[in-house]
Amino acid sequence: MTVLTEILQRYSCRAYQDRAVEQDKLDRIFEAARMAPSARNMQEWRFVAVRDPQLRMRMQVAANNQPFVAQAPVIIAACAVNADYTMRCGQKAGPIDVAIALEHIALQATAEGLGTCWIGSFYPDQVRQILCIPDNVAVIELMTLGYPADQPRPKARVGIEAIVCYDRWKF
């Protein structure tokens, strides 16, 4: 397979089988995250992989009561330990670096036959309390992970010409 194959197969999975994710698959998935690039090679991402069913139920509440969140056998809380560092371009490095690592997770999960879904609808303070995350660590994003129980839907995407131009802004 090529990376483009995984990119084309990846989708936002919102239904999961009642089946645990094997540790060797989790190891490869988190190795993919570990190898992600980061600003100044700070590698500030940290991941809490939530597998305990009671904690997953509490995480569902913190994730705006989205039912599929607790259904997923793994919920990843993606955090940044140095979310205050600002790159020269003016952007905070932590959220960007965590997002890069999470997409590595999503693509490796796809290669492993698993589904994922980015979760932006959640209450960081609730997640912090549930998972005992220190106040100085930013909770950036959640991601569900598991064996899909649904099917990908067609993706509506604009054409290449709508998002790319060369040499100068031509939109």
Side-chain angles (χ1 to χ4, degrees):
M1 276 195 212
T2 66
V3 174
L4 187 56
T5 302
E6 277 77 21
I7 291 169
L8 294 172
Q9 289 177 353
R10 190 221 62 82
Y11 71 101
S12 295
C13 180
R14 291 188 174 86
Y16 294 93
Q17 297 175 31
D18 184 16
R19 177 179 169 193
V21 176
E22 297 86 349
Q23 188 62 49
D24 62 318
K25 289 186 178 191
L26 289 172
D27 291 345
R28 287 189 295 273
I29 287 165
F30 287 117
E31 177 65 8
R34 189 178 76 85
M35 297 309 297
S38 64
R40 294 174 43 194
N41 197 29
M42 291 170 45
Q43 304 172 53
E44 70 277 12
W45 49 73
R46 300 295 183 271
F47 305 100
V48 180
V50 182
R51 297 184 289 189
D52 178 88
Q54 291 178 337
L55 285 177
R56 291 187 352 243
M57 288 302 294
R58 292 179 63 197
M59 291 290 287
Q60 174 183 313
V61 173
N64 208 26
N65 279 311
Q66 298 173 83
F68 72 94
V69 171
Q71 184 186 49
V74 180
I75 303 166
I76 300 168
C79 304
V81 294
N82 188 12
D84 292 333
Y85 173 70
T86 301
M87 297 180 288
R88 187 166 305 198
C89 64
Q91 301 298 316
K92 297 284 186 187
I96 293 170
D97 291 348
V98 167
I100 294 167
L102 276 173
E103 192 57 14
H104 278 205
I105 286 172
L107 294 176
Q108 184 62 37
T110 301
E112 300 283 349
L114 300 167
T116 60
C117 188
W118 288 73
I119 309 294
S121 181
F122 70 95
Y123 299 97
D125 289 340
Q126 290 179 27
V127 170
R128 181 184 315 286
Q129 180 186 21
I130 294 165
L131 302 180
C132 302
I133 297 170
D135 289 340
N136 64 329
V137 174
V139 181
I140 304 294
E141 192 75 14
L142 302 179
M143 180 174 279
T144 54
L145 172 70
Y147 286 94
D150 63 0
Q151 295 295 317
R153 294 172 296 229
K155 297 176 186 177
R157 297 291 192 261
V158 298
I160 293 271
E161 68 283 350
I163 64 168
V164 177
C165 61
Y166 293 95
D167 299 321
R168 290 180 175 72
W169 185 271
K170 298 176 186 173
F171 298 108

